[in-house]
Amino acid sequence: DGGITQSPKYLFRKEGQNVTLSCEQNLNHDAMYWYRQDPGQGLRLIYYSQIVNDFQKGDIAEGYSVSREKKESFPLTVTSAQKNPTAFYLCASSGSSTSYEQYFGPGTRLTVT
Amino acid sequence: DAKTTQPPSMDCAEGRAANLPCNHSTISGNEYVYWYRQIHSQGPQYIIHGLKNNETNEMASLIITEDRKSSTLILPHATLRDTAVYYCIVRVDQTGANNLFFGTGTRLTVIP
């Protein structure tokens, strides 16, 4: 089955630790995105990538980093510099940077204490 | 960038049509209207999109007013599984990114 996988579904970390969230897609999509969602809120864009080895900051990139070494993978690292890392993180992909239909993964709920 | 306004919540009886409104009075001529929904603790799911003509697919219908300043998503026969947050989105173009701007949406509750 084609789709987007995110792992793990739940993640717990101590404050001050970096943590990397996985996102893999087998849809052969060029563009990939990371969003953050806080309780009762909409989604906010963290980073996006339109092509391998290229990525751009979204609205709330501070405290996060990404890489795009392979077309199918777009991992997100939440660094210790992110002041409020506890949130629901969603990865998405689309066929191209001009395609607005995005396919979302199931999300990773990160809790930092 | 066009913004959207949606009611925060709505109820609908099971089996009845659910009509979800969205205002986007500052929409530009080349901006599409997209609808997604998010079931609790899952990733959003694409429903439908349109530019100016009404659209229908297996999930829903989209009615866009002639002046394009508002639209309505119609779920013709709502089921309990349609309980979700529904997002009305118009395109946001930021330095080439075709990301989607998700606001807070409308929380639809389908009542048995």
Side-chain angles (χ1 to χ4, degrees):
Chain A
D1 289 337
I4 299 178
T5 57
Q6 291 184 244
S7 60
K9 188 163 182 63
Y10 299 95
L11 190 55
F12 298 89
R13 280 294 183 270
K14 294 290 187 183
E15 190 174 339
Q17 293 179 334
N18 291 353
V19 58
T20 298
L21 281 59
S22 168
C23 178
E24 303 279 332
Q25 55 100 356
N26 61 3
L27 300 167
N28 200 32
H29 283 171
D30 287 319
M32 297 187 73
Y33 309 81
W34 273 105
Y35 293 89
R36 168 185 171 135
Q37 187 174 35
D38 293 288
Q41 302 297 313
L43 280 67
R44 292 184 291 169
L45 182 69
I46 305 173
Y47 268 97
Y48 65 96
S49 170
Q50 296 173 300
I51 197 169
V52 174
N53 292 323
D54 182 67
F55 49 83
Q56 304 294 329
K57 293 182 179 180
D59 300 322
I60 54 165
E62 185 175 353
Y64 300 98
S65 65
V66 293
S67 63
R68 187 83 186 279
E69 298 177 0
K70 298 185 297 183
K71 187 175 185 177
E72 58 270 23
S73 179
F74 191 40
L76 173 74
T77 297
V78 184
T79 74
S80 57
Q82 169 50 234
K83 296 179 180 178
N84 298 296
T86 295
F88 188 46
Y89 290 88
L90 287 156
C91 179
S93 71
S94 61
S96 71
S97 61
T98 57
S99 172
Y100 297 101
E101 182 177 346
Q102 292 187 9
Y103 296 81
F104 283 82
T108 292
R109 190 167 298 279
L110 173 65
T111 302
V112 177
T113 57
Chain B
D1 298 334
K3 295 184 178 179
T4 62
T5 304
Q6 299 177 254
S9 64
M10 293 181 62
D11 293 338
C12 177
E14 187 178 15
R16 304 295 296 269
N19 298 284
L20 292 88
C22 179
N23 287 321
H24 31 78
S25 58
T26 59
I27 192 170
S28 299
N30 61 349
E31 290 183 315
Y32 286 76
V33 179
Y34 277 72
W35 283 84
Y36 280 73
R37 73 180 183 184
Q38 186 177 23
I39 296 171
H40 183 63
S41 295
Q42 297 182 21
Q45 176 191 22
Y46 165 83
I47 301 174
I48 199 168
H49 75 281
L51 182 63
K52 51 185 176 181
N53 296 323
N54 297 337
E55 302 288 344
T56 296
N57 63 19
E58 65 278 4
M59 290 183 67
S61 295
L62 174 61
I63 308 298
I64 303 175
T65 58
E66 192 169 344
D67 63 9
R68 302 208 328 122
K69 293 184 177 182
S70 65
S71 60
T72 301
L73 179 74
I74 301 172
L75 308 178
H77 305 286
T79 70
L80 298 179
R81 289 181 296 178
D82 291 323
T83 292
V85 177
Y86 287 78
Y87 297 97
C88 170
I89 299 162
V90 294
R91 174 190 172 184
V92 175
D93 186 1
Q94 295 179 344
T95 61
N98 292 302
N99 56 287
L100 300 169
F101 178 74
F102 288 78
T104 53
T106 296
R107 182 174 299 278
L108 175 69
T109 302
V110 180
I111 302 170

